[in-house]
Amino acid sequence: MAPKNENLAARVHGPNDLRLEPLPIPEPAFNEVVLEVDTCGICGTDIHFLKDGGFGAERLIRPIVLGHESSGIVRKVGSSVTHLKVGDRVAIEPAAGCRICDLCKVGKYNVCMNGRHSPTQNTDGNCSNYFAQLADCCFKMPDHMTMEEGALLEPMAVGVYAGRQVDVRLGSKVLIFGAGPIGLICLIAAKAMGATRTVILDLEHAKHRLEVAKKLGVTGVIAIGKNDSEDDLVRKIKEVLGGPADRVLECTGSQPGMRISIKSTRNAGRICLVGLGNKDVQLPMVDAISREIDITTCMRYNHDYPAAMEIVASGLVDVKPLVSHHFDLANVHEAFRVAGQGEGVKIMIHLIPRDTNNKTKFKN
């Protein structure tokens, strides 16, 4: 299929003000490639920008293009780029550091204050027909991978980074709070990293997501009822895991999730706070300190795309069951409505007709 001559973008102008509008087609800098975006998944941060005008310190100060879970086709190559060529199918890492600050120099580009992290208040996302990205942030996919799987590498990299942050290893008993897309991805990553017993929790009304967790091989699921106390849930978790959790991946950002995570973790266990939720929380910190529980966080990923690519491309994990809905770019408003209502798991927007660039059709 010939490249398009227009560059339509899903651009948010304010709370619940999403517009599909044309932008100039970019040209690559010497170290960039211009990509024709094929598939873009919707993430919770996109929804926060659309519904709430941002998250945390990232506020909407100008119209920005949403989207960052994407794959595409290389259409133009910068003068110094040698490892990619026109026509290559790539997964797009949407976060890059400035390369010169102290954080970047010690390898923490994921939290670089001057980086190009899509989408943030100063950087557009890539739910657009064309997107220019640093070439070293584009990872060529093998022929058997689909463009949808390429788009799923972004959340997969989050799961890999979270698992590395708490050192999930062979034999780990892992608790995951939240069965949304990131929670389910964390389940996939934890199992790939060696976790042998896993339990995932979510609210009763999210039973459709807990069913996906079962298909992904979780040891047990717990549907949280409105009358369940913290102690009830801690007891249920320990019953499923055969004791307290070694590692916890808290993917809701909620106060109850964080509190129960601490109470469910063994002495000297590790917790990673992955989700963005309540701004301020009250936690049982004396309990955590007295039992030397290690509480850490993760933001984006840190050189985790290669591992995410390998575990998906090798067939070690199957991320396809996460995809619940497909929409064309013309139906982007309905796609965000479905995502915002939590009606599915992972919603994919196709900027090119489905399977155009897939060697094998995506079946889900």
Side-chain angles (χ1 to χ4, degrees), residues 56-338:
E58 291 293 337
R59 308 312 302 176
L60 194 64
I61 59 175
R62 65 172 181 85
I64 61 168
V65 179
L66 296 178
H68 58 280
E69 301 180 359
S70 301
S71 60
I73 308 296
V74 176
R75 294 304 184 195
K76 293 184 179 181
V77 178
S79 60
S80 69
V81 178
T82 58
H83 72 287
L84 293 173
K85 65 182 185 302
V86 171
D88 282 345
R89 306 179 321 134
V90 299
I92 309 166
E93 180 174 359
C98 71
R99 318 294 174 97
I100 59 175
C101 72
D102 288 346
L103 287 168
C104 286
K105 287 180 178 179
V106 297
K108 296 295 291 183
Y109 72 90
N110 56 309
V111 287
C112 168
M113 299 296 291
N114 300 308
R116 288 167 50 174
H117 307 304
S118 301
T120 50
Q121 60 188 17
N122 293 311
T123 306
D124 280 331
N126 51 34
C127 190
S128 54
N129 293 126
Y130 292 96
F131 180 71
Q133 179 61 314
L134 294 162
D136 62 293
C137 292
C138 299
F139 297 84
K140 186 176 178 178
M141 298 190 298
D143 287 348
H144 66 273
M145 273 186 67
T146 63
M147 304 305 286
E148 290 87 347
E149 289 170 303
L152 285 167
L153 288 192
E154 196 278 344
M156 190 75 236
V158 174
V160 170
Y161 185 40
R164 285 173 163 169
Q165 286 287 82
V166 293
D167 190 26
V168 174
R169 58 177 64 184
L170 185 65
S172 292
K173 297 175 182 176
V174 177
L175 166 65
I176 300 165
F177 247 92
I182 289 297
L184 294 170
I185 281 282
C186 282
L187 168 64
I188 292 172
K191 287 172 60 63
M193 297 169 82
T196 48
R197 293 187 68 84
T198 53
V199 62
I200 192 165
L201 297 86
D202 212 319
L203 301 174
E204 281 184 324
H205 66 73
K207 285 184 178 179
H208 63 291
R209 293 181 171 180
L210 294 175
E211 289 301 316
V212 176
K214 292 178 183 179
K215 294 178 182 178
L216 294 172
V218 71
T219 303
V221 301
I222 297 174
I224 303 171
K226 62 181 180 180
N227 296 321
D228 283 330
S229 68
E230 287 184 357
D231 290 341
D232 290 335
L233 293 171
V234 170
R235 175 181 51 78
K236 291 178 182 179
I237 290 165
K238 292 180 178 179
E239 286 176 357
V240 176
L241 287 177
D246 302 314
R247 307 287 187 262
V248 180
L249 302 171
E250 206 298 315
C251 300
T252 70
S254 69
Q255 177 170 294
M258 295 181 195
R259 291 180 60 84
I260 295 168
S261 293
I262 291 172
K263 293 184 176 184
S264 302
T265 303
R266 68 171 174 84
N267 290 17
R270 297 183 179 184
I271 300 171
C272 184
L273 305 180
V274 186
L276 297 172
N278 297 127
K279 183 177 180 180
D280 298 299
V281 294
Q282 184 175 4
L283 302 177
M285 292 308 299
V286 171
D287 181 32
I289 294 167
S290 63
R291 296 195 294 115
E292 205 172 82
I293 293 172
D294 187 0
I295 302 175
T296 188
T297 62
C298 86
M299 173 53 66
R300 304 182 182 97
Y301 18 76
N302 191 314
H303 195 54
D304 297 295
Y305 256 72
M309 173 78 80
E310 181 61 25
I311 61 178
V312 173
S314 68
L316 180 63
V317 303
D318 183 9
V319 294
K320 292 190 290 293
L322 296 175
V323 179
S324 59
H325 292 75
H326 298 267
F327 292 93
D328 294 332
L329 181 60
N331 297 316
V332 68
H333 292 90
E334 177 64 9
F336 271 92
R337 186 198 67 78
V338 171

Side-chain angles (χ1 to χ4, degrees), residues 6-13 17-23 64-66 127-129 328-333 336 349-351:
E6 62 181 353
N7 184 26
L8 291 178
R11 204 173 184 209
V12 61
H13 286 252
D17 184 4
L18 179 65
R19 307 179 195 177
L20 193 57
E21 54 191 19
L23 295 177
I64 61 168
V65 179
L66 296 178
C127 190
S128 54
N129 293 126
D328 294 332
L329 181 60
N331 297 316
V332 68
H333 292 90
F336 271 92
I349 298 172
H350 296 276
L351 295 94

